[in-house]
mmCIF file of all heavy atoms in Angstrom:
data_model
loop_
_atom_site.group_PDB
_atom_site.id
_atom_site.type_symbol
_atom_site.label_atom_id
_atom_site.label_comp_id
_atom_site.label_asym_id
_atom_site.label_seq_id
_atom_site.Cartn_x
_atom_site.Cartn_y
_atom_site.Cartn_z
ATOM 1 N N MET A 193 0.823 -1.206 0.000
ATOM 2 C CA MET A 193 0.000 0.000 0.000
ATOM 3 C C MET A 193 0.860 1.261 0.000
ATOM 4 O O MET A 193 0.462 2.291 -0.547
ATOM 5 C CB MET A 193 -0.934 -0.009 1.206
ATOM 6 C CG MET A 193 -1.888 -1.190 1.261
ATOM 7 S SD MET A 193 -2.951 -1.323 -0.204
ATOM 8 C CE MET A 193 -3.988 0.128 0.011
ATOM 9 N N GLU A 194 2.023 1.202 0.622
ATOM 10 C CA GLU A 194 2.915 2.362 0.681
ATOM 11 C C GLU A 194 3.594 2.627 -0.659
ATOM 12 O O GLU A 194 3.642 3.764 -1.134
ATOM 13 C CB GLU A 194 3.976 2.139 1.762
ATOM 14 C CG GLU A 194 4.957 3.296 1.928
ATOM 15 C CD GLU A 194 4.327 4.531 2.523
ATOM 16 O OE1 GLU A 194 3.274 4.414 3.202
ATOM 17 O OE2 GLU A 194 4.868 5.639 2.314
ATOM 18 N N TRP A 195 4.126 1.582 -1.272
ATOM 19 C CA TRP A 195 4.865 1.734 -2.527
ATOM 20 C C TRP A 195 3.970 1.630 -3.764
ATOM 21 O O TRP A 195 4.332 2.115 -4.826
ATOM 22 C CB TRP A 195 5.942 0.652 -2.629
ATOM 23 C CG TRP A 195 7.123 0.883 -1.749
ATOM 24 C CD1 TRP A 195 7.342 1.928 -0.904
ATOM 25 C CD2 TRP A 195 8.268 0.023 -1.651
ATOM 26 N NE1 TRP A 195 8.542 1.782 -0.266
ATOM 27 C CE2 TRP A 195 9.145 0.618 -0.707
ATOM 28 C CE3 TRP A 195 8.644 -1.176 -2.244
ATOM 29 C CZ2 TRP A 195 10.363 0.055 -0.354
ATOM 30 C CZ3 TRP A 195 9.854 -1.745 -1.893
ATOM 31 C CH2 TRP A 195 10.709 -1.121 -0.960
ATOM 32 N N GLY A 196 2.851 0.930 -3.619
ATOM 33 C CA GLY A 196 2.026 0.665 -4.790
ATOM 34 C C GLY A 196 2.646 -0.349 -5.717
ATOM 35 O O GLY A 196 2.355 -0.383 -6.918
ATOM 36 N N LEU A 197 3.493 -1.229 -5.166
ATOM 37 C CA LEU A 197 4.192 -2.230 -5.962
ATOM 38 C C LEU A 197 4.151 -3.589 -5.273
ATOM 39 O O LEU A 197 4.181 -3.675 -4.048
ATOM 40 C CB LEU A 197 5.658 -1.835 -6.173
ATOM 41 C CG LEU A 197 5.941 -0.574 -6.984
ATOM 42 C CD1 LEU A 197 7.432 -0.261 -6.954
ATOM 43 C CD2 LEU A 197 5.454 -0.726 -8.414
ATOM 44 N N MET A 198 4.112 -4.636 -6.069
ATOM 45 C CA MET A 198 4.205 -6.012 -5.596
ATOM 46 C C MET A 198 5.524 -6.595 -6.075
ATOM 47 O O MET A 198 5.850 -6.503 -7.256
ATOM 48 C CB MET A 198 3.046 -6.839 -6.158
ATOM 49 C CG MET A 198 3.043 -8.289 -5.748
ATOM 50 S SD MET A 198 2.288 -8.517 -4.142
ATOM 51 C CE MET A 198 0.613 -7.980 -4.505
ATOM 52 N N GLU A 199 6.290 -7.208 -5.155
ATOM 53 C CA GLU A 199 7.577 -7.769 -5.553
ATOM 54 C C GLU A 199 7.777 -9.197 -5.069
ATOM 55 O O GLU A 199 8.875 -9.742 -5.196
ATOM 56 C CB GLU A 199 8.720 -6.878 -5.072
ATOM 57 C CG GLU A 199 8.830 -6.721 -3.573
ATOM 58 C CD GLU A 199 10.003 -5.832 -3.174
ATOM 59 O OE1 GLU A 199 10.585 -5.153 -4.062
ATOM 60 O OE2 GLU A 199 10.356 -5.825 -1.986
ATOM 61 N N THR A 200 6.736 -9.824 -4.512
ATOM 62 C CA THR A 200 6.821 -11.244 -4.157
ATOM 63 C C THR A 200 5.557 -11.952 -4.644
ATOM 64 O O THR A 200 4.531 -11.305 -4.888
ATOM 65 C CB THR A 200 6.943 -11.470 -2.633
ATOM 66 O OG1 THR A 200 5.642 -11.346 -2.019
ATOM 67 C CG2 THR A 200 7.919 -10.494 -1.996
ATOM 68 N N PRO A 201 5.615 -13.270 -4.784
ATOM 69 C CA PRO A 201 4.377 -14.018 -5.002
ATOM 70 C C PRO A 201 3.425 -13.802 -3.825
ATOM 71 O O PRO A 201 3.835 -13.362 -2.743
ATOM 72 C CB PRO A 201 4.846 -15.474 -5.072
ATOM 73 C CG PRO A 201 6.296 -15.407 -5.373
ATOM 74 C CD PRO A 201 6.799 -14.154 -4.727
ATOM 75 N N ILE A 202 2.162 -14.134 -4.023
ATOM 76 C CA ILE A 202 1.151 -14.065 -2.968
ATOM 77 C C ILE A 202 0.832 -15.491 -2.536
ATOM 78 O O ILE A 202 0.513 -16.337 -3.380
ATOM 79 C CB ILE A 202 -0.131 -13.383 -3.478
ATOM 80 C CG1 ILE A 202 0.184 -11.980 -4.010
ATOM 81 C CG2 ILE A 202 -1.196 -13.325 -2.379
ATOM 82 C CD1 ILE A 202 -0.913 -11.404 -4.880
ATOM 83 N N LEU A 203 0.916 -15.754 -1.241
ATOM 84 C CA LEU A 203 0.581 -17.064 -0.705
ATOM 85 C C LEU A 203 -0.693 -16.977 0.127
ATOM 86 O O LEU A 203 -0.902 -16.011 0.861
ATOM 87 C CB LEU A 203 1.716 -17.604 0.172
ATOM 88 C CG LEU A 203 3.085 -17.788 -0.469
ATOM 89 C CD1 LEU A 203 4.064 -18.404 0.540
ATOM 90 C CD2 LEU A 203 3.010 -18.655 -1.724
ATOM 91 N N LEU A 204 -1.521 -18.012 0.026
ATOM 92 C CA LEU A 204 -2.736 -18.136 0.827
ATOM 93 C C LEU A 204 -2.663 -19.429 1.622
ATOM 94 O O LEU A 204 -2.357 -20.485 1.065
ATOM 95 C CB LEU A 204 -3.968 -18.142 -0.080
ATOM 96 C CG LEU A 204 -4.104 -16.977 -1.070
ATOM 97 C CD1 LEU A 204 -5.379 -17.123 -1.887
ATOM 98 C CD2 LEU A 204 -4.069 -15.635 -0.360
ATOM 99 N N THR A 205 -2.990 -19.353 2.916
ATOM 100 C CA THR A 205 -2.873 -20.526 3.786
ATOM 101 C C THR A 205 -3.775 -20.358 5.001
ATOM 102 O O THR A 205 -4.624 -19.461 5.035
ATOM 103 C CB THR A 205 -1.399 -20.728 4.199
ATOM 104 O OG1 THR A 205 -1.262 -22.003 4.829
ATOM 105 C CG2 THR A 205 -0.917 -19.630 5.132
ATOM 106 N N ASN A 206 -3.581 -21.206 6.025
ATOM 107 C CA ASN A 206 -4.383 -21.063 7.244
ATOM 108 C C ASN A 206 -3.727 -20.085 8.216
ATOM 109 O O ASN A 206 -2.547 -19.755 8.103
ATOM 110 C CB ASN A 206 -4.632 -22.424 7.903
ATOM 111 C CG ASN A 206 -3.398 -22.976 8.589
ATOM 112 O OD1 ASN A 206 -2.908 -22.435 9.587
ATOM 113 N ND2 ASN A 206 -2.865 -24.086 8.067
ATOM 114 N N THR A 207 -4.483 -19.643 9.211
ATOM 115 C CA THR A 207 -4.078 -18.552 10.092
ATOM 116 C C THR A 207 -2.758 -18.808 10.801
ATOM 117 O O THR A 207 -1.894 -17.928 10.858
ATOM 118 C CB THR A 207 -5.182 -18.294 11.138
ATOM 119 O OG1 THR A 207 -6.432 -18.103 10.456
ATOM 120 C CG2 THR A 207 -4.871 -17.074 11.981
ATOM 121 N N LEU A 208 -2.569 -20.001 11.334
ATOM 122 C CA LEU A 208 -1.383 -20.278 12.130
ATOM 123 C C LEU A 208 -0.193 -20.744 11.298
ATOM 124 O O LEU A 208 0.858 -21.082 11.848
ATOM 125 C CB LEU A 208 -1.700 -21.302 13.224
ATOM 126 C CG LEU A 208 -2.770 -20.867 14.234
ATOM 127 C CD1 LEU A 208 -2.864 -21.860 15.390
ATOM 128 C CD2 LEU A 208 -2.502 -19.460 14.771
ATOM 129 N N SER A 209 -0.345 -20.744 9.982
ATOM 130 C CA SER A 209 0.768 -21.113 9.098
ATOM 131 C C SER A 209 1.325 -19.916 8.339
ATOM 132 O O SER A 209 2.154 -20.093 7.438
ATOM 133 C CB SER A 209 0.320 -22.202 8.114
ATOM 134 O OG SER A 209 0.031 -23.411 8.792
ATOM 135 N N VAL A 210 0.874 -18.712 8.690
ATOM 136 C CA VAL A 210 1.391 -17.523 8.022
ATOM 137 C C VAL A 210 2.902 -17.425 8.209
ATOM 138 O O VAL A 210 3.655 -17.130 7.276
ATOM 139 C CB VAL A 210 0.685 -16.260 8.546
ATOM 140 C CG1 VAL A 210 1.387 -15.000 8.042
ATOM 141 C CG2 VAL A 210 -0.772 -16.250 8.128
ATOM 142 N N GLY A 211 3.376 -17.664 9.434
ATOM 143 C CA GLY A 211 4.800 -17.561 9.713
ATOM 144 C C GLY A 211 5.634 -18.541 8.927
ATOM 145 O O GLY A 211 6.667 -18.178 8.345
ATOM 146 N N SER A 212 5.207 -19.803 8.888
ATOM 147 C CA SER A 212 5.987 -20.814 8.165
ATOM 148 C C SER A 212 5.962 -20.545 6.660
ATOM 149 O O SER A 212 6.964 -20.773 5.963
ATOM 150 C CB SER A 212 5.468 -22.219 8.471
ATOM 151 O OG SER A 212 4.100 -22.344 8.122
ATOM 152 N N CYS A 213 4.843 -20.048 6.151
ATOM 153 C CA CYS A 213 4.783 -19.701 4.730
ATOM 154 C C CYS A 213 5.680 -18.507 4.424
ATOM 155 O O CYS A 213 6.364 -18.481 3.392
ATOM 156 C CB CYS A 213 3.345 -19.397 4.320
ATOM 157 S SG CYS A 213 2.331 -20.865 4.063
ATOM 158 N N SER A 214 5.678 -17.539 5.318
ATOM 159 C CA SER A 214 6.554 -16.381 5.135
ATOM 160 C C SER A 214 8.015 -16.801 5.115
ATOM 161 O O SER A 214 8.796 -16.390 4.241
ATOM 162 C CB SER A 214 6.306 -15.363 6.252
ATOM 163 O OG SER A 214 7.112 -14.225 6.087
ATOM 164 N N GLN A 215 8.404 -17.665 6.048
ATOM 165 C CA GLN A 215 9.783 -18.149 6.086
ATOM 166 C C GLN A 215 10.117 -18.965 4.839
ATOM 167 O O GLN A 215 11.211 -18.839 4.272
ATOM 168 C CB GLN A 215 10.004 -18.982 7.341
ATOM 169 C CG GLN A 215 10.015 -18.174 8.619
ATOM 170 C CD GLN A 215 10.293 -19.025 9.842
ATOM 171 O OE1 GLN A 215 10.303 -20.260 9.773
ATOM 172 N NE2 GLN A 215 10.520 -18.390 10.968
ATOM 173 N N GLY A 216 9.165 -19.806 4.422
ATOM 174 C CA GLY A 216 9.392 -20.617 3.229
ATOM 175 C C GLY A 216 9.558 -19.762 1.987
ATOM 176 O O GLY A 216 10.405 -20.042 1.126
ATOM 177 N N LEU A 217 8.759 -18.700 1.894
ATOM 178 C CA LEU A 217 8.845 -17.819 0.733
ATOM 179 C C LEU A 217 10.152 -17.029 0.738
ATOM 180 O O LEU A 217 10.775 -16.837 -0.317
ATOM 181 C CB LEU A 217 7.644 -16.875 0.701
ATOM 182 C CG LEU A 217 7.535 -15.954 -0.513
ATOM 183 C CD1 LEU A 217 7.651 -16.729 -1.821
ATOM 184 C CD2 LEU A 217 6.230 -15.167 -0.464
ATOM 185 N N VAL A 218 10.576 -16.576 1.912
ATOM 186 C CA VAL A 218 11.869 -15.889 1.998
ATOM 187 C C VAL A 218 12.999 -16.815 1.547
ATOM 188 O O VAL A 218 13.875 -16.429 0.763
ATOM 189 C CB VAL A 218 12.130 -15.382 3.434
ATOM 190 C CG1 VAL A 218 13.584 -14.942 3.591
ATOM 191 C CG2 VAL A 218 11.190 -14.237 3.778
ATOM 192 N N LYS A 219 12.986 -18.048 2.022
ATOM 193 C CA LYS A 219 14.012 -19.028 1.639
ATOM 194 C C LYS A 219 14.017 -19.232 0.118
ATOM 195 O O LYS A 219 15.075 -19.235 -0.528
ATOM 196 C CB LYS A 219 13.755 -20.343 2.360
ATOM 197 C CG LYS A 219 14.804 -21.432 2.152
ATOM 198 C CD LYS A 219 14.505 -22.623 3.060
ATOM 199 C CE LYS A 219 15.599 -23.687 2.962
ATOM 200 N NZ LYS A 219 15.556 -24.413 1.679
ATOM 201 N N TYR A 220 12.834 -19.382 -0.453
ATOM 202 C CA TYR A 220 12.694 -19.571 -1.887
ATOM 203 C C TYR A 220 13.240 -18.368 -2.655
ATOM 204 O O TYR A 220 13.999 -18.524 -3.635
ATOM 205 C CB TYR A 220 11.213 -19.799 -2.223
ATOM 206 C CG TYR A 220 10.869 -19.808 -3.688
ATOM 207 C CD1 TYR A 220 10.963 -20.973 -4.435
ATOM 208 C CD2 TYR A 220 10.428 -18.640 -4.320
ATOM 209 C CE1 TYR A 220 10.628 -20.985 -5.789
ATOM 210 C CE2 TYR A 220 10.093 -18.642 -5.666
ATOM 211 C CZ TYR A 220 10.205 -19.816 -6.393
ATOM 212 O OH TYR A 220 9.875 -19.810 -7.727
ATOM 213 N N MET A 221 12.886 -17.165 -2.215
ATOM 214 C CA MET A 221 13.299 -15.959 -2.924
ATOM 215 C C MET A 221 14.800 -15.717 -2.808
ATOM 216 O O MET A 221 15.455 -15.326 -3.780
ATOM 217 C CB MET A 221 12.519 -14.759 -2.393
ATOM 218 C CG MET A 221 11.021 -14.812 -2.634
ATOM 219 S SD MET A 221 10.562 -14.729 -4.374
ATOM 220 C CE MET A 221 10.793 -12.978 -4.687
ATOM 221 N N VAL A 222 15.365 -15.938 -1.627
ATOM 222 C CA VAL A 222 16.805 -15.726 -1.443
ATOM 223 C C VAL A 222 17.609 -16.709 -2.290
ATOM 224 O O VAL A 222 18.665 -16.367 -2.835
ATOM 225 C CB VAL A 222 17.187 -15.821 0.047
ATOM 226 C CG1 VAL A 222 18.696 -15.873 0.230
ATOM 227 C CG2 VAL A 222 16.602 -14.645 0.821
ATOM 228 N N GLU A 223 17.115 -17.938 -2.433
ATOM 229 C CA GLU A 223 17.796 -18.908 -3.291
ATOM 230 C C GLU A 223 17.765 -18.477 -4.750
ATOM 231 O O GLU A 223 18.737 -18.658 -5.491
ATOM 232 C CB GLU A 223 17.155 -20.283 -3.128
ATOM 233 C CG GLU A 223 17.467 -20.947 -1.790
ATOM 234 C CD GLU A 223 16.754 -22.273 -1.629
ATOM 235 O OE1 GLU A 223 15.954 -22.639 -2.526
ATOM 236 O OE2 GLU A 223 16.978 -22.943 -0.597
ATOM 237 N N ARG A 224 16.647 -17.898 -5.170
ATOM 238 C CA ARG A 224 16.519 -17.455 -6.568
ATOM 239 C C ARG A 224 17.247 -16.145 -6.818
ATOM 240 O O ARG A 224 17.757 -15.906 -7.916
ATOM 241 C CB ARG A 224 15.036 -17.285 -6.930
ATOM 242 C CG ARG A 224 14.252 -18.572 -7.031
ATOM 243 C CD ARG A 224 12.940 -18.350 -7.751
ATOM 244 N NE ARG A 224 13.140 -18.033 -9.160
ATOM 245 C CZ ARG A 224 12.164 -17.685 -9.993
ATOM 246 N NH1 ARG A 224 10.914 -17.583 -9.545
ATOM 247 N NH2 ARG A 224 12.410 -17.425 -11.255
ATOM 248 N N TYR A 225 17.266 -15.280 -5.811
ATOM 249 C CA TYR A 225 17.862 -13.954 -5.945
ATOM 250 C C TYR A 225 18.854 -13.747 -4.794
ATOM 251 O O TYR A 225 18.538 -13.102 -3.790
ATOM 252 C CB TYR A 225 16.785 -12.873 -5.916
ATOM 253 C CG TYR A 225 15.650 -13.111 -6.889
ATOM 254 C CD1 TYR A 225 14.463 -13.730 -6.476
ATOM 255 C CD2 TYR A 225 15.767 -12.731 -8.228
ATOM 256 C CE1 TYR A 225 13.427 -13.946 -7.361
ATOM 257 C CE2 TYR A 225 14.731 -12.950 -9.123
ATOM 258 C CZ TYR A 225 13.563 -13.566 -8.681
ATOM 259 O OH TYR A 225 12.537 -13.781 -9.572
ATOM 260 N N PRO A 226 20.059 -14.284 -4.912
ATOM 261 C CA PRO A 226 21.020 -14.244 -3.805
ATOM 262 C C PRO A 226 21.473 -12.843 -3.430
ATOM 263 O O PRO A 226 22.102 -12.657 -2.372
ATOM 264 C CB PRO A 226 22.187 -15.095 -4.318
ATOM 265 C CG PRO A 226 22.001 -15.200 -5.783
ATOM 266 C CD PRO A 226 20.549 -15.074 -6.052
ATOM 267 N N GLY A 227 21.149 -11.845 -4.234
ATOM 268 C CA GLY A 227 21.508 -10.474 -3.899
ATOM 269 C C GLY A 227 20.608 -9.830 -2.859
ATOM 270 O O GLY A 227 20.904 -8.737 -2.347
ATOM 271 N N ILE A 228 19.484 -10.496 -2.512
ATOM 272 C CA ILE A 228 18.562 -9.950 -1.504
ATOM 273 C C ILE A 228 19.300 -9.798 -0.175
ATOM 274 O O ILE A 228 19.929 -10.737 0.307
ATOM 275 C CB ILE A 228 17.330 -10.853 -1.343
ATOM 276 C CG1 ILE A 228 16.461 -10.808 -2.612
ATOM 277 C CG2 ILE A 228 16.498 -10.447 -0.125
ATOM 278 C CD1 ILE A 228 15.302 -11.765 -2.614
ATOM 279 N N GLY A 229 19.209 -8.600 0.387
ATOM 280 C CA GLY A 229 19.859 -8.338 1.664
ATOM 281 C C GLY A 229 21.346 -8.076 1.558
ATOM 282 O O GLY A 229 22.017 -7.894 2.579
ATOM 283 N N VAL A 230 21.873 -8.069 0.321
ATOM 284 C CA VAL A 230 23.303 -7.802 0.099
ATOM 285 C C VAL A 230 23.408 -6.536 -0.749
ATOM 286 O O VAL A 230 23.478 -5.431 -0.231
ATOM 287 C CB VAL A 230 24.012 -9.000 -0.560
ATOM 288 C CG1 VAL A 230 25.506 -8.743 -0.657
ATOM 289 C CG2 VAL A 230 23.740 -10.278 0.214
ATOM 290 N N GLU A 231 23.351 -6.694 -2.100
ATOM 291 C CA GLU A 231 23.339 -5.496 -2.940
ATOM 292 C C GLU A 231 21.922 -5.047 -3.291
ATOM 293 O O GLU A 231 21.732 -3.970 -3.851
ATOM 294 C CB GLU A 231 24.137 -5.715 -4.231
ATOM 295 C CG GLU A 231 23.517 -6.704 -5.190
ATOM 296 C CD GLU A 231 24.081 -8.115 -5.016
ATOM 297 O OE1 GLU A 231 24.708 -8.377 -3.980
ATOM 298 O OE2 GLU A 231 23.884 -8.931 -5.937
ATOM 299 N N GLN A 232 20.944 -5.887 -2.965
ATOM 300 C CA GLN A 232 19.545 -5.518 -3.156
ATOM 301 C C GLN A 232 18.846 -5.416 -1.807
ATOM 302 O O GLN A 232 19.302 -5.968 -0.799
ATOM 303 C CB GLN A 232 18.829 -6.544 -4.048
ATOM 304 C CG GLN A 232 19.288 -6.504 -5.493
ATOM 305 C CD GLN A 232 18.632 -7.607 -6.299
ATOM 306 O OE1 GLN A 232 18.902 -8.787 -6.093
ATOM 307 N NE2 GLN A 232 17.763 -7.226 -7.219
ATOM 308 N N ASP A 233 17.709 -4.702 -1.811
ATOM 309 C CA ASP A 233 16.952 -4.510 -0.585
ATOM 310 C C ASP A 233 16.373 -5.842 -0.107
ATOM 311 O O ASP A 233 16.286 -6.818 -0.859
ATOM 312 C CB ASP A 233 15.826 -3.507 -0.835
ATOM 313 C CG ASP A 233 15.359 -2.812 0.440
ATOM 314 O OD1 ASP A 233 15.814 -3.205 1.521
ATOM 315 O OD2 ASP A 233 14.552 -1.865 0.329
ATOM 316 N N VAL A 234 15.971 -5.879 1.174
ATOM 317 C CA VAL A 234 15.249 -7.037 1.690
ATOM 318 C C VAL A 234 13.836 -7.034 1.129
ATOM 319 O O VAL A 234 13.420 -6.098 0.448
ATOM 320 C CB VAL A 234 15.217 -7.027 3.236
ATOM 321 C CG1 VAL A 234 16.609 -7.160 3.803
ATOM 322 C CG2 VAL A 234 14.535 -5.763 3.763
ATOM 323 N N LEU A 235 13.064 -8.075 1.400
ATOM 324 C CA LEU A 235 11.687 -8.141 0.902
ATOM 325 C C LEU A 235 10.733 -8.491 2.034
ATOM 326 O O LEU A 235 11.132 -9.008 3.080
ATOM 327 C CB LEU A 235 11.573 -9.149 -0.237
ATOM 328 C CG LEU A 235 12.010 -10.594 -0.005
ATOM 329 C CD1 LEU A 235 10.950 -11.405 0.713
ATOM 330 C CD2 LEU A 235 12.380 -11.251 -1.323
ATOM 331 N N LEU A 236 9.459 -8.214 1.781
ATOM 332 C CA LEU A 236 8.402 -8.532 2.739
ATOM 333 C C LEU A 236 7.387 -9.436 2.050
ATOM 334 O O LEU A 236 6.625 -8.980 1.192
ATOM 335 C CB LEU A 236 7.717 -7.248 3.232
ATOM 336 C CG LEU A 236 8.598 -6.340 4.099
ATOM 337 C CD1 LEU A 236 7.904 -5.007 4.343
ATOM 338 C CD2 LEU A 236 8.908 -7.013 5.429
ATOM 339 N N PRO A 237 7.367 -10.733 2.381
ATOM 340 C CA PRO A 237 6.466 -11.677 1.717
ATOM 341 C C PRO A 237 4.997 -11.316 1.937
ATOM 342 O O PRO A 237 4.611 -10.854 3.022
ATOM 343 C CB PRO A 237 6.796 -13.017 2.388
ATOM 344 C CG PRO A 237 8.137 -12.826 2.995
ATOM 345 C CD PRO A 237 8.214 -11.383 3.381
#
């Protein structure tokens, strides 16, 4: 809402699995884009 941009996939799951999905998505994204958190900004799943 702040940037008006989407930069991650959207995941849908159950209420108590939001955290594990967020961690899984971060792991997936960092493997695909190893520059995240280094020469590129971090992301918010």
Side-chain angles (χ1 to χ4, degrees):
M193 300 302 292
E194 181 69 22
W195 285 359
L197 295 174
M198 179 83 64
E199 62 179 12
T200 79
I202 303 163
L203 301 183
L204 307 180
T205 191
N206 74 67
T207 307
L208 299 188
S209 294
V210 170
S212 58
C213 282
S214 181
Q215 289 182 350
L217 184 51
V218 168
K219 185 173 185 288
Y220 171 87
M221 296 294 283
V222 169
E223 288 177 356
R224 290 196 68 186
Y225 309 96
I228 292 174
V230 185
E231 68 265 16
Q232 290 175 292
D233 204 353
V234 296
L235 56 81
L236 292 171

